[in-house]
Amino acid sequence: MDVVLRARRVVTPSGEAPRSVGVEAGRIVAVDAYDAPSPADHVITLEDDVVLMPGLVDTHVHVNEPGRTAWEGFPSATRAAAAGGITTIVDMPLNSVPPTTDVVALDLKRKCAEGNAFVDVGFWGGVVPGNLGELRALHDAGVFGFKCFLAPSGVDEFPQLNASELERALHEIHEFDGLLLVHAEDAGTLERSPEPHGRMYREFLSSRPRRAEDVAVVTVLDLAARTGCRVHLLHLSSTDEVPRLAAARGSGVPVSVETCPHYLVFVAEEIGEGATQYKCCPPIREAVNREELWRGLADGVIDAVVSDHSPCPADLKQFDTGDFDAAWGGIASLQVGLPAMWTQASRRGYTVSDLARWMAESPARLAGLTDRGSIEVGRQADFCVFAPDEAFVVDQAKLWHKCPLTPYDGLALAGVVRSTWLRGEPIEVDGVPRGRLLVRGAS
């Protein structure tokens, strides 16, 4: 073996225990007792205060390159990911110009990422009005699935689908057993909701009501049941539909669900006047809703926790006016998601093994990344060395995000990522990028 890592706490699918993990040619080839004989070139014994976790998999990242590289880019985003214990990201098709809605755009995005990624990178395709004929070619070119919006996306080059366009997309994607990711907010409900003008968060929250998510989720579930197409609901913030989601899954509807750290950490009641760094869509909701999200995770109705990392330059957050309507909606969090989650999870009695399931194993499975997401023989040797009892205060000036403005700034968090390993070697964020570009089905 090339290297053996010994740790008093190793998270595997069967739980947490002292283990030695053997790596050869970038793959895990042994998971043995802590003191098992280790014929290897290097044996590394980790500190007693750390947990060896699988490298996290974040399937909801807006890298924004090409086109909006002043907002983010592959070098900065993947450095931030590595610093946060993430070894694989899947890039969203919008906020870049052009969006990833045809193979030409996908090829351009891959050229931007090639040689500039510190972690492995895959790509989602996009579904917009008029590109139905591009979807199979994108699928054949290796995207992991397709994203659509049911309400305005926030960028003109990625328009929403109406109900008939959504149904046609589902039929088309089902033909090649693809996956459709849905931003599930109903456009009609949003149009009938109050305008969010002003500095008060409660007015913005009223403009994105729970009902907008609820109506959209019902639409998606009904069409998924009718077409048989696999669907994934993005960034669930409202828990009103959790019972319906559980029932749909129980009846065989092929649906999966994610939520995000900001919905599990922050609450509407604590967001101050003009604090537009908290704006995202769908919005951060009330404390009662946050606890229901945690229960949805614990019950397995919500499968995964991913970042929806969506940074922007500070001026787009409109701090001079504090106007929630005018401000860009998106939260930068790629580097701090794990400690933010651990701070809240540990208070509720959840374990590091739970985090590994929600933030590594489940996202990998949902994207079809069968070679990663857990520490077991045959998987890629991607690791996060995490010190759960070490604390720090977030300083956005020290984050790798190109636009590090974040609502986590100044927040005291528990848990520090000591190192992140990709294919059996530690990632050096000031070194040479070693990330690979991923193609669906090639793992």
Side-chain angles (χ1 to χ4, degrees):
M1 292 181 285
D2 300 324
V3 64
V4 168
L5 297 176
R6 284 197 176 115
R8 293 293 178 185
R9 299 176 64 185
V10 177
V11 176
T12 72
S14 59
E16 184 184 308
R19 290 285 183 265
S20 63
V21 181
V23 176
E24 185 175 341
R27 295 275 170 176
I28 298 170
V29 295
V31 180
D32 293 323
Y34 178 84
D35 55 358
S38 301
D41 296 337
H42 301 285
V43 178
I44 298 173
T45 301
L46 300 177
E47 300 95 333
D48 287 347
D49 66 334
V50 302
V51 181
L52 185 65
M53 302 174 61
L56 305 188
V57 177
D58 192 337
T59 54
H60 196 148
V61 180
H62 294 271
V63 178
N64 302 343
E65 187 176 2
R68 290 190 173 94
T69 51
W71 299 23
E72 188 62 284
F74 286 102
S76 52
T78 56
R79 278 190 175 100
I86 299 164
T87 51
T88 302
I89 66 170
V90 187
D91 174 61
M92 280 293 166
L94 73 156
N95 296 351
S96 57
V97 182
T100 316
T101 53
D102 57 34
V103 173
V104 172
L106 174 64
D107 288 343
L108 177 59
K109 182 162 283 196
R110 284 176 168 158
K111 288 177 182 177
C112 292
E114 185 69 50
N116 290 310
F118 287 82
V119 302
D120 287 352
V121 179
F123 302 94
W124 299 113
V127 185
V128 295
N131 85 322
L132 204 64
E134 305 287 346
L135 302 187
R136 186 178 289 269
L138 278 166
H139 177 79
D140 292 344
V143 299
F144 286 84
F146 302 90
K147 179 179 184 177
C148 72
F149 278 74
L150 304 186
S153 71
V155 292
D156 292 340
E157 64 273 4
F158 203 95
Q160 73 211 51
L161 301 182
N162 61 33
S164 62
E165 291 165 337
L166 173 64
E167 184 168 6
R168 288 198 295 273
L170 286 163
H171 279 293
E172 173 68 16
I173 294 167
H174 180 56
E175 285 293 314
F176 48 78
D177 191 30
L179 174 67
L180 182 66
L181 287 65
V182 185
H183 180 120
E185 288 183 287
D186 178 66
T189 303
L190 295 180
E191 289 171 1
R192 294 187 294 272
S193 300
E195 291 289 332
H197 297 301
R199 295 172 53 84
M200 304 305 294
Y201 184 76
R202 65 174 177 269
E203 294 183 9
F204 170 65
L205 189 59
S206 296
S207 77
R208 316 289 298 208
R210 291 168 179 259
R211 179 164 174 75
E213 283 191 80
D214 300 341
V215 170
V217 168
V218 169
T219 298
V220 172
L221 292 179
D222 287 348
L223 287 175
R226 189 186 312 166
T227 64
C229 185
R230 295 185 295 126
V231 296
H232 178 71
L233 294 172
L234 299 163
H235 45 47
L236 185 74
S237 79
S238 169
T239 56
D240 288 352
E241 289 302 307
V242 167
R244 189 187 299 270
L245 288 164
R249 186 172 292 169
S251 66
V253 177
V255 59
S256 54
V257 189
E258 70 181 45
T259 192
C260 305
H262 42 273
Y263 301 127
L264 297 160
V265 173
F266 302 117
V267 294
E269 293 90 338
E270 297 175 1
I271 298 177
E273 182 178 347
T276 54
Q277 66 268 36
Y278 291 89
K279 179 181 176 179
C280 58
C281 299
I284 295 163
R285 302 194 186 277
E286 301 84 356
V288 170
N289 185 82
R290 177 180 68 177
E291 299 313 308
E292 290 294 331
L293 285 174
W294 279 103
R295 278 189 280 275
L297 271 172
D299 292 343
V301 181
I302 301 172
D303 301 275
V305 179
V306 292
S307 68
D308 191 8
H309 174 70
S310 185
C312 70
D315 63 303
L316 295 183
K317 282 294 187 180
Q318 306 292 330
F319 287 124
D320 54 340
T321 65
D323 187 338
F324 277 96
D325 183 31
W328 172 260
I331 288 178
S333 61
L334 196 58
Q335 190 169 332
V336 298
L338 177 57
M341 281 293 295
W342 175 241
T343 302
Q344 295 290 328
S346 59
R347 293 172 183 172
R348 292 166 174 80
Y350 300 114
T351 67
V352 177
S353 292
D354 293 321
L355 292 191
R357 185 173 69 256
W358 297 330
M359 302 181 77
E361 182 181 345
S362 289
R365 183 179 66 251
L366 294 172
L369 290 161
T370 57
D371 66 338
R372 64 197 68 206
S374 60
I375 296 177
E376 54 187 318
V377 172
R379 299 298 173 99
Q380 188 162 292
D382 296 346
F383 308 119
C384 169
V385 180
F386 185 58
D389 297 327
E390 187 175 348
F392 75 107
V393 176
V394 178
D395 179 355
Q396 64 186 28
K398 297 179 180 179
L399 299 177
W400 284 104
H401 312 151
K402 183 173 285 188
C403 293
L405 172 71
T406 178
Y408 292 95
D409 185 43
L411 201 64
L413 298 179
V416 170
V417 175
R418 294 267 179 87
S419 63
T420 305
W421 294 57
L422 181 65
R423 285 184 288 280
E425 297 181 21
I427 298 173
E428 302 292 342
V429 294
D430 55 354
V432 177
R434 294 189 296 109
R436 295 175 180 171
L437 305 188
L438 304 176
V439 176
R440 176 197 47 77
S443 59

